[in-house]
Amino acid sequence: MPCSTIRRLEGQCSDRALVLGFQRVPEKKAGKNRVHVDFDSPDRRGEVDRLVKMGATVVGEHTAPGFEWTTLQDPVGNEFCVSG
C-alpha cells in the first residue's frame, strides 16, 4: 500500500510501546465512529488550536469535576477528543 494511505504513530506507554495505525479507506463515514480516540495534552487549548488549523472542527467543549476535554471532528467527520 502506498505510504500516503497509511500513517503509523509510535510512542511509549509505561514499559510497553504504543503503536497506532491509521489507514485511509475509500468509503465515506456512514454512521457513528466504530473507534473513538482520546488524546491527552498538557496544553489542551494549544493542541486544539493546532488541530483546527490542520482542518479539524470543534464539536463541543466539555467539563466534569476535575476534567476538561474538547470533542473535534476530522475533515471527513470522524470524532476524537483532546483532554488536558
Side-chain angles (χ1 to χ4, degrees):
M1 206 170 263
C3 183
S4 63
T5 63
I6 296 178
R7 296 287 181 254
R8 181 179 166 109
L9 302 175
E10 295 185 34
Q12 198 66 31
C13 182
S14 68
D15 61 342
R16 300 176 316 204
L18 172 66
V19 178
L20 298 174
F22 298 89
Q23 182 175 350
R24 186 179 306 269
V25 295
E27 300 85 11
K28 298 279 185 193
K29 180 181 170 187
K32 186 173 180 176
N33 293 359
R34 293 188 336 204
V35 174
H36 178 97
V37 181
D38 294 333
F39 299 98
D40 185 61
S41 172
D43 179 14
R44 178 178 61 90
R45 294 198 184 280
E47 187 63 19
V48 168
D49 289 343
R50 184 183 77 81
L51 292 165
V52 167
K53 288 177 186 172
M54 293 175 61
T57 303
V58 173
V59 175
E61 298 284 344
H62 310 279
T63 304
F67 190 69
E68 294 181 346
W69 71 98
T70 303
T71 302
L72 301 104
Q73 285 184 341
D74 69 13
V76 296
N78 297 300
E79 292 186 0
F80 60 98
C81 293
V82 177
S83 62

